[in-house]
Amino acid sequence: MGEAIYSAYLNNKGSMIANTIIYKRSEERFLVVPNAANTDRVYKWIMDNRKTYNVRVTNLSDKLACISLQGPLSPKFIEKVVPEAKVQKEVNSNLNLWVPFLLRSQR
């Protein structure tokens, strides 16, 4: 729990469909956060490729928002802008700091 990985979705020819961050919420639950412009494409890829796996997939893109800042000043910036946010600091392969957090819709 609390782990994340930066990865990519590839088509059958090995070309990139989209990049994404996948967060491990528990042993059996994951949150996939693709670039917003690719949400439908990633959802379709997951649905098309889950056929042999016993998984349930729910598209929550209309219920959640995600802000992601990069760089060493990200934690200080987000803590000033949104003091109540619990900043989760993660280091990616380029040693940049990622500061993602989710805001639940009030619907």
Side-chain angles (χ1 to χ4, degrees):
M1 290 188 295
E3 298 173 356
I5 187 168
Y6 175 80
S7 191
Y9 292 93
L10 306 177
N11 65 20
N12 293 338
K13 295 179 181 178
S15 297
M16 185 184 283
I17 295 170
N19 61 349
T20 192
I21 301 175
I22 302 170
Y23 297 91
K24 185 175 185 179
R25 308 286 290 173
S26 71
E27 284 301 314
E28 296 183 356
R29 295 184 70 140
F30 297 86
L31 176 65
V32 176
V33 182
N35 179 302
N38 295 318
T39 300
D40 292 337
R41 189 179 303 169
V42 169
Y43 181 73
K44 181 181 180 334
W45 186 97
I46 291 171
M47 297 307 288
D48 289 348
N49 290 281
R50 73 181 183 117
K51 296 171 187 163
T52 61
Y53 298 97
N54 182 21
V55 297
R56 185 180 70 184
V57 179
T58 306
N59 187 345
L60 300 173
S61 61
D62 64 341
K63 294 177 178 37
L64 298 173
C66 180
I67 298 173
S68 181
L69 301 174
Q70 297 179 19
L73 299 179
S74 299
K76 290 180 183 179
F77 176 81
I78 201 68
E79 287 168 353
K80 285 182 183 179
V81 174
V82 187
E84 66 275 14
K86 293 179 182 174
V87 177
Q88 183 178 2
K89 301 170 187 172
E90 300 165 3
V91 179
N92 73 12
S93 60
N94 294 322
L95 299 180
N96 290 324
L97 217 50
W98 291 70
V99 186
F101 66 94
L102 296 173
L103 304 173
R104 289 229 173 251
S105 170
Q106 297 302 312
R107 290 193 244 174

